[in-house]
């Protein structure tokens, strides 16, 4: 599959920085977006508010078909290339699932349409079996999973926990002070699932007031991996890494514990290294670490999950109001998502051969295409509870990055099931 990933990074140096409105709204966001939920209690979802959003010439997905693998050398169906087809079967769980963060509980929050729930991912040339929670737990008896990354990783594990809770008791056994890293146990099968908060996968200092009006820059060590996950790396049987979106934020970069540059730091006399260079260095370090390890389980690197802000960004009126999936080529992927995806592809291709030689099972979990077609699956204004109950014309900031639960992200688990069962 990796041979199909070969391509060059299309760099775009014309960054359009839309900061005027964002400065005003960042302060508002820090007040509005605090959420309290059962197992995911104090975690705020302000992570979807990239600071700043960097835009450039959009990329047409259809014009880059060579970037997505079609079929491997054995002629097997590629489960990552397909279409969303109507599927009039109820989701595997509903809005009552206690693991859903309030901001992603679109039905509970009053989203009036429900068509987005009735689609399934259909690879071209084969069928994808629906996730079977009982079979999954039997296969995963005495096993452990870790989802390492940002709030999209939390979005994903919530989906998995909701599905598994329909067939087994899920016990919350650990959380850190901010409920960012957590762990659950299904006693009947001694199965554990953890989410590890590591938005950069590298060592970083993230100020508490990161979403405030005058928030200081993030401090990011490009050459040191985050010990939040490295210290437990060999204890997990299955790991899903992901990152990317946080690299668009203003940050000061360190190498060898010395400042080496920054990304968008106009008040400092530092070299602009660019978020693409920073992300490449960190991804390379992560996959090199994996490829040179002695890990005996299965490791996935999940590719970037595109957002779908249309008509602007989150801070200047961008919305996601579609009701059904789009067709391939109908929407364009923005510069940020395209750049992140390119970097992931190149670095994973380079590391895969070395991992294979070492006996390390490193795989690409490429949700990019299937997610890029689901502009209908985001909370939008229904990130908030009943946002139009008092004023049908109320101006509400939309979330077009995270996913409604139930929703399209559930299909990611269908893909994982297929990989586990059939390799």
């Amino acid at each position: 599959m990796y041979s199909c990933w070969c391509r060059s990074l299309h760099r775009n140096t014309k960054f359009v920085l839309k900061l005027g409105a964002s400065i005003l709204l960042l302060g508002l966001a820090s007040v509005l977006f605090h959420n309290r939920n059962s197992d995911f209690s104090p975690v705020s979802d302000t992570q979807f508010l990239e600071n700043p959003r960097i835009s450039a010439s959009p990329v047409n997905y259809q014009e880059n078909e060579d970037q997505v693998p079609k079929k491997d050398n054995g002629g097997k169906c590629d489960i990552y290339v397909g279409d969303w087809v109507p599927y009039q079967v109820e989701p595997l769980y509903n809005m009552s699932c206690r693991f859903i963060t309030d901001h992603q509980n679109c039905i509970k929050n009053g989203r009036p349409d429900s068509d987005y729930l009735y689609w399934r991912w259909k690879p071209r040339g084969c069928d994808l079996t629906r996730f079977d929670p009982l079979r999954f737990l039997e296969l995963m008896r005495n096993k452990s999973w870790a989802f390492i990354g940002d709030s999209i990783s939390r979005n994903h594990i919530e989906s998995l926990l909701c599905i598994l809770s329909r067939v087994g008791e899920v016990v919350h056994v650990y959380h850190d002070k901010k409920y960012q890293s957590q762990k659950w146990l299904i006693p009947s099968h001694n199965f554990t699932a953890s989410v590890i908060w590591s938005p950069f996968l590298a060592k970083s200092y993230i100020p508490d007031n990161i979403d405030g009006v005058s928030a200081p820059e993030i401090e990011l060590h490009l050459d040191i991996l985050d010990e939040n996950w490295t210290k437990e790396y060999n204890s997990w049987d299955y790991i899903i890494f992901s990152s990317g979106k946080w690299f668009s934020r203003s940050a000061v970069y360190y190498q060898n514990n010395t400042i080496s540059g920054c990304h968008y730091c106009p008040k400092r006399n530092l070299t602009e290294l660019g978020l693409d260079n920073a992300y490449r260095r960190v991804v390379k370090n992560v996959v090199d670490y994996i490829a040179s390890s002695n890990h005996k389980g299965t490791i996935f690197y999940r590719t970037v999950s595109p957002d779908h802000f249309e008509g602007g960004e989150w801070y200047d009126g961008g919305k996601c109001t579609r009701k059904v999936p789009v067709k391939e080529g109908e929407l364009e992927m923005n510069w940020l998502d395209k750049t992140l995806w390119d970097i992931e592809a190149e670095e994973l291709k380079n590391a895969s051969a070395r991992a294979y030689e070492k006996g390390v099972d490193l795989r690409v979990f490429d949700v990019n295409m299937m997610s890029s077609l689901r502009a209908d699956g985001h909370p939008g204004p229904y990130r908030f509870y009943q946002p139009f109950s008092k004023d049908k014309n109320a101006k509400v900031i939309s979330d077009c990055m995270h996913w409604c639960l139930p929703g399209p992200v559930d299909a990611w688990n269908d893909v994982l099931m297929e990989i586990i069962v059939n390799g």
Side-chain angles (χ1 to χ4, degrees):
M1 179 179 77
Y2 295 100
S3 62
C4 301
W5 280 69
C6 183
R7 56 196 184 276
S8 299
L9 175 64
H10 302 290
R11 292 180 179 163
N12 192 315
T13 58
K14 295 182 180 179
F15 290 175
V16 180
L17 302 178
K18 302 177 180 177
L19 293 179
S22 64
I23 292 174
L24 295 174
L25 289 173
L26 283 170
L28 176 63
S30 64
V31 176
L32 292 179
F33 291 167
H34 183 78
N35 175 54
R36 183 164 294 273
N37 201 42
S38 55
D39 282 0
F40 288 87
S41 316
V43 180
S44 171
D45 259 357
T46 51
Q47 291 92 333
F48 93 92
L49 306 175
E50 279 102 45
N51 178 19
R53 279 292 297 187
I54 296 181
S55 303
S57 299
V59 179
N60 190 293
Y61 199 104
Q62 194 171 38
E63 293 175 352
N64 292 274
E65 291 181 346
D66 61 323
Q67 296 179 4
V68 184
K70 302 302 182 187
K71 292 190 177 183
D72 63 19
N73 293 332
K76 295 180 180 179
C77 173
D78 191 325
I79 56 178
Y80 298 119
V81 180
D83 304 281
W84 291 92
V85 298
Y87 187 58
Q88 297 303 318
V89 177
E90 292 298 321
L92 291 171
Y93 60 96
N94 56 42
M95 67 176 185
S96 66
C97 175
R98 65 187 174 94
F99 301 108
I100 304 176
T101 297
D102 286 343
H103 291 320
Q104 277 84 65
N105 200 331
C106 302
I107 301 173
K108 179 180 177 181
N109 289 342
R111 178 168 172 170
D113 63 303
S114 61
D115 287 348
Y116 70 95
L117 297 172
Y118 300 102
W119 299 85
R120 68 179 179 90
W121 178 246
K122 173 69 171 63
R124 297 169 188 171
C126 63
D127 286 315
L128 188 63
T129 304
R130 198 182 199 195
F131 190 93
D132 183 338
L134 282 174
R135 189 177 185 192
F136 177 86
L137 286 176
E138 284 299 320
L139 292 170
M140 293 296 111
R141 187 179 293 275
N142 301 318
K143 301 295 184 182
S144 59
W145 280 68
F147 295 71
I148 303 173
D150 55 23
S151 55
I152 302 297
S153 294
R154 189 176 75 244
N155 210 172
H156 187 188
I157 199 173
E158 290 174 5
S159 166
L160 180 64
L161 291 172
C162 283
I163 296 172
L164 296 180
S165 67
R166 300 301 300 270
V167 297
E169 178 190 15
V170 180
V171 180
H172 192 206
V173 295
Y174 168 78
H175 66 81
D176 62 9
K177 185 177 180 179
K178 295 183 178 181
Y179 281 73
Q180 292 177 320
S181 294
Q182 303 187 66
K183 182 178 180 179
W184 297 266
L185 167 71
I186 297 183
S188 60
H189 292 77
N190 192 32
F191 169 78
T192 61
S194 301
V195 61
I196 307 299
W197 176 249
S198 184
F200 294 102
L201 302 180
K203 179 181 178 181
S204 63
Y205 166 70
I206 302 174
D208 288 339
N209 64 328
I210 186 60
D211 292 300
V213 173
S214 59
E217 297 94 348
I218 290 168
E219 296 178 5
L220 178 61
H221 293 257
L222 302 180
D223 56 347
I224 303 176
L225 298 178
D226 187 356
E227 67 173 11
N228 281 341
W229 63 265
T230 58
K231 65 185 179 183
E232 297 185 71
Y233 171 74
N234 285 308
S235 69
W236 296 305
D237 298 296
Y238 292 82
I239 304 174
I240 302 179
F241 287 98
S242 62
S243 186
K245 297 289 190 178
W246 274 69
F247 281 79
S248 67
R249 292 174 179 260
S250 177
V252 174
Y253 299 141
Y254 288 76
Q255 293 188 92
N256 297 318
N257 290 314
T258 302
I259 293 178
S260 60
C262 71
H263 168 57
Y264 191 71
C265 52
K267 295 182 180 180
R268 291 176 177 253
N269 185 25
L270 297 174
T271 301
E272 170 65 47
L273 293 182
L275 67 89
D276 52 342
N277 288 322
Y279 190 53
R280 183 179 294 280
R281 294 183 193 186
V282 171
V283 172
K284 185 179 187 303
N285 288 342
V286 171
V287 296
D288 284 351
Y289 179 91
I290 296 169
S292 61
S293 72
N294 294 311
H295 196 278
K296 303 304 180 184
T298 299
I299 302 172
F300 299 94
Y301 196 103
R302 177 179 58 74
T303 57
V304 63
S305 167
D307 60 50
H308 293 96
F309 292 95
E310 295 187 68
E313 300 296 343
W314 66 267
Y315 52 78
D316 61 358
K319 298 179 180 179
C320 41
T321 59
R322 294 177 183 261
K323 302 295 189 292
V324 296
V326 300
K327 299 295 183 182
E328 184 178 355
E330 186 176 343
L331 285 182
E332 297 174 327
M333 187 159 45
N334 64 41
W335 178 87
L336 176 62
D337 290 335
K338 168 65 168 56
T339 298
L340 299 176
W341 192 42
D342 278 346
I343 291 169
E344 292 162 351
E346 292 171 2
E347 296 305 325
L348 284 161
K349 174 183 177 293
N350 294 334
S352 63
R354 287 181 284 112
Y356 179 80
E357 292 174 358
K358 190 77 183 296
V360 178
D361 189 7
L362 171 62
R363 309 185 186 200
V364 177
F365 184 40
D366 185 19
V367 303
N368 188 282
M369 181 181 184
M370 62 191 303
S371 302
S372 71
L373 304 179
R374 293 308 306 270
D376 60 319
H378 301 288
Y382 297 99
R383 167 186 177 81
F384 303 98
Y385 181 72
Q386 301 291 342
F388 303 110
S389 60
K390 295 182 179 180
D391 181 359
K392 66 179 181 179
N393 297 314
K395 293 183 178 181
V396 181
I397 296 175
S398 291
D399 179 358
C400 303
M401 188 179 80
H402 294 96
W403 300 99
C404 291
L405 294 179
V409 71
D410 299 327
W412 296 4
N413 294 317
D414 295 341
V415 173
L416 285 177
M417 187 79 184
E418 176 67 21
I419 294 171
I420 292 168
V421 173
N422 296 319

mmCIF file of all heavy atoms in Angstrom, residues 14-36:
data_model
loop_
_atom_site.group_PDB
_atom_site.id
_atom_site.type_symbol
_atom_site.label_atom_id
_atom_site.label_comp_id
_atom_site.label_asym_id
_atom_site.label_seq_id
_atom_site.Cartn_x
_atom_site.Cartn_y
_atom_site.Cartn_z
ATOM 1 N N LYS A 14 2.068 31.320 0.353
ATOM 2 C CA LYS A 14 1.160 32.466 0.508
ATOM 3 C C LYS A 14 0.166 32.198 1.620
ATOM 4 O O LYS A 14 -0.916 31.693 1.406
ATOM 5 C CB LYS A 14 0.432 32.726 -0.801
ATOM 6 C CG LYS A 14 1.377 33.151 -1.921
ATOM 7 C CD LYS A 14 0.604 33.444 -3.199
ATOM 8 C CE LYS A 14 1.527 33.865 -4.315
ATOM 9 N NZ LYS A 14 0.813 34.122 -5.566
ATOM 10 N N PHE A 15 0.576 32.452 2.836
ATOM 11 C CA PHE A 15 -0.305 32.252 3.981
ATOM 12 C C PHE A 15 -1.235 33.459 4.124
ATOM 13 O O PHE A 15 -0.797 34.608 4.095
ATOM 14 C CB PHE A 15 0.503 32.140 5.269
ATOM 15 C CG PHE A 15 1.294 30.881 5.390
ATOM 16 C CD1 PHE A 15 2.156 30.708 6.478
ATOM 17 C CD2 PHE A 15 1.189 29.890 4.423
ATOM 18 C CE1 PHE A 15 2.882 29.561 6.582
ATOM 19 C CE2 PHE A 15 1.922 28.738 4.549
ATOM 20 C CZ PHE A 15 2.769 28.569 5.617
ATOM 21 N N VAL A 16 -2.515 33.179 4.277
ATOM 22 C CA VAL A 16 -3.475 34.259 4.494
ATOM 23 C C VAL A 16 -3.886 34.211 5.957
ATOM 24 O O VAL A 16 -4.529 33.273 6.374
ATOM 25 C CB VAL A 16 -4.707 34.080 3.586
ATOM 26 C CG1 VAL A 16 -5.687 35.208 3.828
ATOM 27 C CG2 VAL A 16 -4.278 34.028 2.139
ATOM 28 N N LEU A 17 -3.456 35.158 6.721
ATOM 29 C CA LEU A 17 -3.678 35.141 8.167
ATOM 30 C C LEU A 17 -4.886 36.006 8.507
ATOM 31 O O LEU A 17 -4.850 37.229 8.342
ATOM 32 C CB LEU A 17 -2.441 35.659 8.888
ATOM 33 C CG LEU A 17 -1.158 34.877 8.598
ATOM 34 C CD1 LEU A 17 0.008 35.501 9.321
ATOM 35 C CD2 LEU A 17 -1.352 33.434 8.991
ATOM 36 N N LYS A 18 -5.926 35.346 8.934
ATOM 37 C CA LYS A 18 -7.159 36.072 9.261
ATOM 38 C C LYS A 18 -7.248 36.224 10.779
ATOM 39 O O LYS A 18 -7.809 35.390 11.449
ATOM 40 C CB LYS A 18 -8.370 35.314 8.729
ATOM 41 C CG LYS A 18 -8.327 35.076 7.233
ATOM 42 C CD LYS A 18 -9.543 34.253 6.814
ATOM 43 C CE LYS A 18 -9.567 33.981 5.348
ATOM 44 N NZ LYS A 18 -10.700 33.140 4.937
ATOM 45 N N LEU A 19 -6.659 37.266 11.310
ATOM 46 C CA LEU A 19 -6.529 37.349 12.751
ATOM 47 C C LEU A 19 -7.466 38.366 13.411
ATOM 48 O O LEU A 19 -7.717 38.287 14.594
ATOM 49 C CB LEU A 19 -5.086 37.724 13.115
ATOM 50 C CG LEU A 19 -4.040 36.662 12.779
ATOM 51 C CD1 LEU A 19 -2.666 37.161 13.163
ATOM 52 C CD2 LEU A 19 -4.355 35.377 13.484
ATOM 53 N N GLY A 20 -7.953 39.331 12.653
ATOM 54 C CA GLY A 20 -8.749 40.389 13.278
ATOM 55 C C GLY A 20 -9.906 39.859 14.066
ATOM 56 O O GLY A 20 -10.028 40.093 15.264
ATOM 57 N N ALA A 21 -10.768 39.103 13.370
ATOM 58 C CA ALA A 21 -11.955 38.573 14.061
ATOM 59 C C ALA A 21 -11.587 37.523 15.065
ATOM 60 O O ALA A 21 -12.256 37.363 16.086
ATOM 61 C CB ALA A 21 -12.933 38.007 13.037
ATOM 62 N N SER A 22 -10.523 36.779 14.810
ATOM 63 C CA SER A 22 -10.170 35.672 15.708
ATOM 64 C C SER A 22 -9.774 36.183 17.075
ATOM 65 O O SER A 22 -10.062 35.565 18.098
ATOM 66 C CB SER A 22 -9.058 34.823 15.104
ATOM 67 O OG SER A 22 -7.880 35.572 14.965
ATOM 68 N N ILE A 23 -9.056 37.322 17.144
ATOM 69 C CA ILE A 23 -8.625 37.835 18.436
ATOM 70 C C ILE A 23 -9.829 38.142 19.308
ATOM 71 O O ILE A 23 -9.851 37.858 20.501
ATOM 72 C CB ILE A 23 -7.756 39.094 18.235
ATOM 73 C CG1 ILE A 23 -6.428 38.690 17.566
ATOM 74 C CG2 ILE A 23 -7.499 39.797 19.552
ATOM 75 C CD1 ILE A 23 -5.552 39.868 17.184
ATOM 76 N N LEU A 24 -10.865 38.724 18.707
ATOM 77 C CA LEU A 24 -12.060 39.048 19.475
ATOM 78 C C LEU A 24 -12.777 37.802 19.950
ATOM 79 O O LEU A 24 -13.265 37.735 21.073
ATOM 80 C CB LEU A 24 -13.009 39.903 18.625
ATOM 81 C CG LEU A 24 -12.483 41.294 18.231
ATOM 82 C CD1 LEU A 24 -13.463 41.961 17.274
ATOM 83 C CD2 LEU A 24 -12.265 42.150 19.469
ATOM 84 N N LEU A 25 -12.844 36.800 19.082
ATOM 85 C CA LEU A 25 -13.632 35.615 19.413
ATOM 86 C C LEU A 25 -12.903 34.634 20.303
ATOM 87 O O LEU A 25 -13.526 33.821 20.971
ATOM 88 C CB LEU A 25 -14.069 34.913 18.126
ATOM 89 C CG LEU A 25 -15.138 35.661 17.333
ATOM 90 C CD1 LEU A 25 -15.392 34.988 15.995
ATOM 91 C CD2 LEU A 25 -16.424 35.716 18.133
ATOM 92 N N LEU A 26 -11.576 34.672 20.311
ATOM 93 C CA LEU A 26 -10.853 33.736 21.162
ATOM 94 C C LEU A 26 -11.199 33.931 22.628
ATOM 95 O O LEU A 26 -11.362 32.978 23.375
ATOM 96 C CB LEU A 26 -9.339 33.901 20.947
ATOM 97 C CG LEU A 26 -8.793 33.270 19.671
ATOM 98 C CD1 LEU A 26 -7.355 33.701 19.437
ATOM 99 C CD2 LEU A 26 -8.901 31.764 19.750
ATOM 100 N N GLY A 27 -11.304 35.216 23.042
ATOM 101 C CA GLY A 27 -11.687 35.465 24.426
ATOM 102 C C GLY A 27 -13.072 34.938 24.719
ATOM 103 O O GLY A 27 -13.314 34.359 25.761
ATOM 104 N N LEU A 28 -13.995 35.163 23.782
ATOM 105 C CA LEU A 28 -15.355 34.664 23.934
ATOM 106 C C LEU A 28 -15.376 33.155 23.996
ATOM 107 O O LEU A 28 -16.092 32.559 24.806
ATOM 108 C CB LEU A 28 -16.219 35.154 22.779
ATOM 109 C CG LEU A 28 -17.670 34.643 22.746
ATOM 110 C CD1 LEU A 28 -18.409 35.132 23.973
ATOM 111 C CD2 LEU A 28 -18.355 35.111 21.473
ATOM 112 N N ALA A 29 -14.548 32.509 23.165
ATOM 113 C CA ALA A 29 -14.546 31.051 23.094
ATOM 114 C C ALA A 29 -14.137 30.436 24.412
ATOM 115 O O ALA A 29 -14.678 29.424 24.842
ATOM 116 C CB ALA A 29 -13.603 30.589 21.989
ATOM 117 N N SER A 30 -13.148 31.050 25.080
ATOM 118 C CA SER A 30 -12.674 30.464 26.329
ATOM 119 C C SER A 30 -13.749 30.464 27.403
ATOM 120 O O SER A 30 -13.723 29.665 28.323
ATOM 121 C CB SER A 30 -11.437 31.239 26.827
ATOM 122 O OG SER A 30 -11.790 32.574 27.131
ATOM 123 N N VAL A 31 -14.708 31.397 27.300
ATOM 124 C CA VAL A 31 -15.807 31.451 28.270
ATOM 125 C C VAL A 31 -16.923 30.495 27.887
ATOM 126 O O VAL A 31 -17.494 29.803 28.720
ATOM 127 C CB VAL A 31 -16.348 32.897 28.351
ATOM 128 C CG1 VAL A 31 -17.549 32.962 29.288
ATOM 129 C CG2 VAL A 31 -15.256 33.836 28.824
ATOM 130 N N LEU A 32 -17.234 30.431 26.596
ATOM 131 C CA LEU A 32 -18.398 29.676 26.148
ATOM 132 C C LEU A 32 -18.186 28.182 26.119
ATOM 133 O O LEU A 32 -19.123 27.414 26.272
ATOM 134 C CB LEU A 32 -18.796 30.143 24.742
ATOM 135 C CG LEU A 32 -19.356 31.560 24.625
ATOM 136 C CD1 LEU A 32 -19.672 31.852 23.162
ATOM 137 C CD2 LEU A 32 -20.602 31.715 25.476
ATOM 138 N N PHE A 33 -16.945 27.733 25.874
ATOM 139 C CA PHE A 33 -16.758 26.343 25.505
ATOM 140 C C PHE A 33 -16.337 25.436 26.642
ATOM 141 O O PHE A 33 -15.765 24.390 26.409
ATOM 142 C CB PHE A 33 -15.715 26.238 24.382
ATOM 143 C CG PHE A 33 -16.215 26.813 23.091
ATOM 144 C CD1 PHE A 33 -15.330 27.044 22.052
ATOM 145 C CD2 PHE A 33 -17.549 27.137 22.920
ATOM 146 C CE1 PHE A 33 -15.777 27.577 20.860
ATOM 147 C CE2 PHE A 33 -18.005 27.670 21.735
ATOM 148 C CZ PHE A 33 -17.115 27.891 20.707
ATOM 149 N N HIS A 34 -16.546 25.817 27.876
ATOM 150 C CA HIS A 34 -16.241 24.902 28.972
ATOM 151 C C HIS A 34 -17.389 23.915 29.108
ATOM 152 O O HIS A 34 -18.543 24.280 29.176
ATOM 153 C CB HIS A 34 -16.054 25.652 30.280
ATOM 154 C CG HIS A 34 -15.662 24.748 31.404
ATOM 155 N ND1 HIS A 34 -14.390 24.266 31.562
ATOM 156 C CD2 HIS A 34 -16.398 24.218 32.389
ATOM 157 C CE1 HIS A 34 -14.350 23.489 32.630
ATOM 158 N NE2 HIS A 34 -15.558 23.435 33.151
ATOM 159 N N ASN A 35 -17.053 22.634 29.169
ATOM 160 C CA ASN A 35 -18.080 21.596 29.184
ATOM 161 C C ASN A 35 -17.869 20.649 30.340
ATOM 162 O O ASN A 35 -16.741 20.367 30.718
ATOM 163 C CB ASN A 35 -18.008 20.808 27.871
ATOM 164 C CG ASN A 35 -18.967 19.635 27.892
ATOM 165 O OD1 ASN A 35 -20.143 19.795 28.145
ATOM 166 N ND2 ASN A 35 -18.441 18.447 27.617
ATOM 167 N N ARG A 36 -18.945 20.151 30.910
ATOM 168 C CA ARG A 36 -18.830 19.144 31.964
ATOM 169 C C ARG A 36 -19.718 17.963 31.593
ATOM 170 O O ARG A 36 -20.894 18.078 31.383
ATOM 171 C CB ARG A 36 -19.235 19.725 33.324
ATOM 172 C CG ARG A 36 -19.063 18.741 34.465
ATOM 173 C CD ARG A 36 -19.100 19.453 35.790
ATOM 174 N NE ARG A 36 -17.968 20.338 35.974
ATOM 175 C CZ ARG A 36 -16.813 19.947 36.474
ATOM 176 N NH1 ARG A 36 -16.616 18.700 36.812
ATOM 177 N NH2 ARG A 36 -15.840 20.816 36.623
#
